[in-house]
């Protein structure tokens, strides 16, 4: 039977309780769990994950839970490397803190992520085994099954690249990476873990591609940089750049098919690029001699000089990019259409001339920008049909005439 009372009686209860226990916040609740006040609560939450019981000393259900909560504290708070603190807050002492966390009944049990940005409210059974299993499942992840799984997959773990804030940029700078952004407490991440290990093992001997993971509870800088908002998030990187987000089935077969398709696309693009290089007669000289018609290749060496006295519509691209490949024939047609006009249609391969693309704030492929006399005029965001692209060029030619 739950205790309930009217608002005046609650006020009287709180006052009476605070008088009796003002100097004994742990009375009847043991000392193994950490007692928080307003200040220590913030410090504790900032340090690591916390499982917190909000209670009132007069509450019958709180008293019943107190010995169990104390035992839970003995289990986890004595571990040197424990990722979770078992704590408690006396709401008759810390009324403002409990109000801030919308505590409306006792006991209220909440699991706070490190930093306190998110939490989960526990509403399961309150026996020690149930509480312990919850902590193991949501936070620690080191129950007997997990330990056996880790021991059985030591060799697979060697195939899986572990990324951090410190090594991310240098590690993914060259080659293809399929990366899992995850949190240890995430249920979906745990379900995916053995499949992800298996995927890493599948490509362990394959050159040019790596399967990796990064813990977003530890490597917050990188996860924020790539706007990871849910777990797990699976992203494909090529030579340091984010290319795509995977949103399909998480079965081994589906993931393998995706990796194979991405590798095939990249390989095909490189082959096409190599063949184009072989058929070029005078690639660099052409850029300087013929400035009208045909798509002109711009490089780190000639980008600024070439743009300095012209109207130039530039496509920033990557050879492996599917959207870029679909645009390529249209871009060639556009160059042929405007041949004879005072405009040049050009392109920059961002895998070869990264500094140019970085300087022009290229964040995705293809990026289309028009320049006049070396100055950026506008980004093109419209349809990539030939008619719309030609109309955009004409509008900018007319603006030049008006000037």
């Amino acid at each position: 039977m739950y205790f309930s009372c009217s608002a005046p009686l609650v006020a009287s209860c709180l006052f009476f309780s605070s008088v009796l226990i003002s100097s004994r916040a742990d009375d009847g609740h043991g000392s193994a769990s950490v007692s928080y006040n307003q200040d220590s609560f913030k410090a504790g939450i900032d340090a690591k994950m916390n499982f917190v019981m909000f209670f009132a000393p007069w509450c019958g259900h709180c008293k019943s839970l107190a010995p169990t909560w104390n035992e839970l504290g003995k289990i986890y708070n004595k571990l040197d490397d424990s990722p979770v603190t078992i704590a408690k807050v006396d709401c008759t002492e810390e009324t403002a803190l409990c109000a801030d966390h919308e505590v409306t009944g006792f006991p209220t049990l909440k699991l706070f992520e490190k930093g306190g940005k998110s939490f989960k409210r526990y509403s399961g059974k309150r026996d020690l085994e149930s509480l312990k299993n919850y902590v193991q499942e949501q936070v620690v992840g080191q129950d007997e099954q997990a330990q056996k799984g880790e021991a059985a997959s030591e060799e697979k773990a060697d195939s899986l690249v572990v990324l951090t804030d410190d090594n991310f940029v240098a590690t993914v700078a060259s080659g293809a990476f399929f990366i899992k952004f995850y949190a240890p407490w995430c249920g979906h991440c745990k379900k995916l873990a053995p499949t992800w290990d298996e995927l890493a093992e599948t490509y362990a001997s394959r050159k040019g591609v790596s399967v990796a993971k990064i813990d977003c509870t530890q490597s917050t800088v990188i996860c924020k940089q790539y706007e990871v908002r849910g777990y797990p998030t699976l992203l494909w990187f090529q030579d340091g750049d984010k290319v795509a987000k995977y949103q399909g089935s998480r079965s081994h077969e589906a993931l393998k098919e995706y990796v194979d398709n991405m590798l095939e696309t990249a390989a095909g693009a490189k082959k096409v690029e190599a063949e184009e290089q072989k058929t070029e007669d005078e690639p660099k000289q052409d850029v300087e001699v013929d400035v009208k018609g045909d798509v002109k290749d711009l490089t780190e060496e000639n980008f600024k000089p070439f743009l300095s006295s012209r109207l130039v519509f530039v496509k920033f691209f990557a050879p492996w990019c599917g959207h870029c490949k679909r645009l390529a024939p249209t871009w060639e047609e556009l160059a042929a259409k405007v041949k004879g006009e005072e405009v040049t249609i050009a392109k920059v391969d961002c895998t070869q001339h990264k500094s140019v693309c970085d300087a022009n704030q290229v964040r995705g492929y293809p990026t289309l920008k028009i320049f006049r006399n070396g100055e950026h005029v506008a980004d093109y965001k419209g349809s990539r049909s030939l008619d719309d692209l030609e109309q955009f060029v004409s509008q900018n030619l007319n603006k030049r005439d008006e000037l």
Side-chain angles (χ1 to χ4, degrees):
M1 181 176 179
Y2 287 88
F3 180 84
S4 61
C5 54
S6 63
L9 184 54
V10 169
S12 299
C13 290
L14 291 175
F15 174 78
F16 182 71
S17 299
S18 62
V19 170
L20 287 178
I21 64 151
S22 59
S23 64
R24 295 195 302 159
D26 286 336
D27 187 20
H29 285 75
S31 59
S33 59
V34 178
S35 293
Y36 282 151
N37 58 27
Q38 186 82 42
D39 295 330
S40 61
F41 180 90
K42 186 180 186 307
I45 296 295
D46 286 343
K48 62 170 66 175
M49 294 184 184
N50 275 255
F51 198 19
V52 183
M53 174 175 69
F54 295 88
F55 75 99
W58 48 259
C59 161
H61 294 290
C62 302
K63 292 178 183 178
S64 298
L65 178 59
T68 304
W69 199 253
N70 197 55
E71 287 300 312
L72 194 67
K74 289 179 182 178
I75 294 171
Y76 292 106
N77 290 349
K78 290 184 179 180
L79 295 175
D80 291 337
D81 298 325
S82 176
V84 60
T85 295
I86 306 301
K88 59 182 181 285
V89 174
D90 182 348
C91 290
T92 65
E93 294 268 336
E94 303 297 330
T95 54
L97 178 59
C98 294
D100 288 344
H101 292 279
E102 299 179 346
V103 176
T104 57
F106 305 119
T108 292
L109 310 181
K110 291 188 177 184
L111 176 70
F112 291 86
E113 179 186 346
K114 180 181 178 181
K117 292 182 180 179
S118 64
F119 68 87
K120 290 184 178 181
R121 183 165 182 157
Y122 178 76
S123 56
K125 294 181 179 179
R126 295 172 183 168
D127 60 279
L128 182 60
E129 195 62 25
S130 297
L131 291 167
K132 180 181 174 182
N133 287 341
Y134 178 75
V135 172
Q136 290 172 329
E137 181 182 320
Q138 298 293 325
V139 186
V140 182
Q142 292 180 344
D143 54 10
E144 292 180 0
Q145 290 184 352
Q147 289 175 355
K148 290 177 182 178
E150 288 174 9
S153 62
E154 283 185 357
E155 293 184 1
K156 290 183 180 179
D158 292 337
S159 306
L160 186 63
V161 178
V162 178
L163 300 171
T164 66
D165 281 339
D166 295 328
N167 69 9
F168 188 93
V169 174
T171 304
V172 306
S174 178
F177 284 80
F178 196 17
I179 305 173
K180 175 182 71 172
F181 293 77
Y182 76 101
W185 47 259
C186 159
H188 293 295
C189 301
K190 292 178 187 178
K191 290 177 183 177
L192 178 60
T195 304
W196 202 250
D197 286 341
E198 186 180 356
L199 189 69
E201 184 70 12
T202 301
Y203 292 96
S205 59
R206 181 80 173 267
K207 291 183 178 180
V209 62
S210 299
V211 178
K213 66 178 181 179
I214 182 167
D215 180 349
C216 289
T217 66
Q218 300 296 322
S219 301
T220 56
V221 175
I222 290 296
C223 295
K224 285 181 181 178
Q225 179 179 336
Y226 290 101
E227 300 180 335
V228 176
R229 306 196 188 284
Y231 308 120
T233 292
L234 310 180
L235 301 180
W236 185 272
F237 283 73
Q238 183 73 43
D239 297 327
D241 294 316
K242 184 180 81 171
V243 176
K245 180 179 181 179
Y246 178 76
Q247 294 180 307
S249 166
R250 293 173 186 161
S251 67
H252 179 265
E253 293 75 15
L255 292 166
K256 183 178 182 300
E257 182 180 0
Y258 177 75
V259 173
D260 290 341
N261 287 340
M262 294 299 285
L263 292 174
E264 185 178 349
T265 299
K270 288 180 180 178
K271 184 177 180 181
V272 170
E273 194 71 11
E275 290 175 351
E276 288 179 352
Q277 289 288 339
K278 290 180 181 178
T279 57
E280 287 181 351
D281 295 324
E282 297 177 351
K284 291 186 177 179
Q285 289 80 351
D286 283 348
V287 172
E288 295 300 326
V289 175
D290 181 10
V291 297
K292 299 188 183 79
D294 301 328
V295 177
K296 301 305 174 185
D297 288 304
L298 299 181
T299 67
E300 292 170 348
E301 290 75 22
N302 65 18
F303 185 86
K304 286 185 178 179
F306 187 81
L307 267 64
S308 62
S309 59
R310 301 178 174 89
L311 182 66
V312 186
F313 194 15
V314 183
K315 175 183 70 171
F316 296 87
F317 75 102
W320 43 259
C321 162
H323 294 295
C324 302
K325 287 190 278 189
R326 283 192 285 274
L327 177 61
T330 305
W331 203 246
E332 293 286 350
E333 289 181 61
L334 179 65
K337 272 258 192 180
V338 300
K339 189 173 184 178
E341 300 287 348
E342 295 298 317
V343 63
T344 300
I345 306 302
K347 64 181 179 181
V348 177
D349 181 348
C350 291
T351 66
Q352 299 295 321
H353 308 291
K354 191 172 185 298
S355 63
V356 174
C357 299
D358 289 345
N360 287 280
Q361 299 182 332
V362 175
R363 299 287 182 264
Y365 308 122
T367 291
L368 310 180
K369 294 176 180 279
I370 195 161
F371 298 81
R372 179 180 286 111
N373 299 331
E375 297 293 327
H376 173 244
V377 177
D379 282 21
Y380 179 74
K381 302 284 189 180
S383 163
R384 293 171 187 161
S385 68
L386 179 60
D387 289 343
D388 287 335
L389 290 167
E390 186 180 6
Q391 182 179 4
F392 178 74
V393 171
S394 297
Q395 289 172 349
N396 280 276
L397 279 170
N398 292 336
K399 288 180 182 178
R400 177 175 178 170
D401 293 339
E402 292 170 4
L403 293 173

